[in-house]
Amino acid sequence: MSKQVTVSPIEKIWFIVNLIPKGYVCSYGKVADLAGLPGRARYVSTALKRAPKEMTLPWHRVVNSQGKISFESNTQAYQNQMERLRLDGVEVNRGKILLSQYEWKPDLATLMFEIPF
DNA sequence: ATTATGACGGAAG
DNA sequence: GCTTCCGCCATAA
């Protein structure tokens, strides 16, 4: 029998965010769902904030359900995320990302075999 | 225990 | 497209 490994909620969130491919984005709510934590979109933002600085995490690929960056537009963080998305090839027009074009849709194989929880 | 605070989401005006 | 309001839930005080 395989051993039961327990993964903490925050680790599940980090794991899912790491799966978001370059060139795509995913909403806080969707990340929560994929992590098996429905209804906890706000916790995803908490988890990203709490990630150790040395951890390389594509946090910039997480946007809100409207396809907008969740920082206030006059902040450094906003500009930072904007630039990282640009480097990913994701275009932000008038502060908005076209989800119909850039939203990450994990394929079945990813859902079944790459998520160990 | 209670209250306040968010990198949220969705409905309503 | 706004903006406001409310439900949501983990943390911190």
Side-chain angles (χ1 to χ4, degrees):
Chain A
M1 300 295 283
S2 60
K3 188 170 287 186
Q4 247 306 357
V5 279
T6 65
V7 184
S8 69
I10 195 169
E11 289 173 320
K12 291 182 179 179
I13 292 170
W14 291 338
F15 186 92
I16 297 298
V17 172
N18 262 315
L19 292 180
I20 307 173
K22 176 179 181 178
Y24 291 89
V25 297
C26 190
S27 71
Y28 296 88
K30 190 84 158 303
V31 169
D33 287 345
L34 291 169
L37 305 165
R40 274 165 277 189
R42 305 191 84 149
Y43 184 45
V44 172
S45 59
T46 303
L48 294 182
K49 188 166 16 176
R50 291 170 74 86
K53 200 156 75 72
E54 63 270 20
M55 176 185 289
T56 61
L57 198 65
W59 56 269
H60 60 286
R61 295 174 189 158
V62 185
V63 298
N64 68 29
S65 63
Q66 317 310 311
K68 300 198 295 189
I69 290 173
S70 282
F71 295 109
E72 293 194 25
S73 56
N74 55 6
T75 64
Q76 188 58 53
Y78 182 96
Q79 296 301 328
N80 189 352
Q81 185 166 9
M82 190 81 146
E83 173 64 4
R84 287 167 183 266
L85 286 171
R86 190 186 67 76
L87 293 174
D88 271 6
V90 173
E91 49 183 325
V92 187
N93 290 329
R94 295 187 222 85
K96 204 176 78 179
I97 296 160
L98 225 55
L99 292 183
S100 59
Q101 182 174 357
Y102 295 107
E103 186 182 39
W104 174 46
K105 313 220 172 189
D107 57 45
L108 193 54
T110 299
L111 293 176
M112 293 185 64
F113 304 125
E114 289 189 38
I115 304 177
F117 46 82

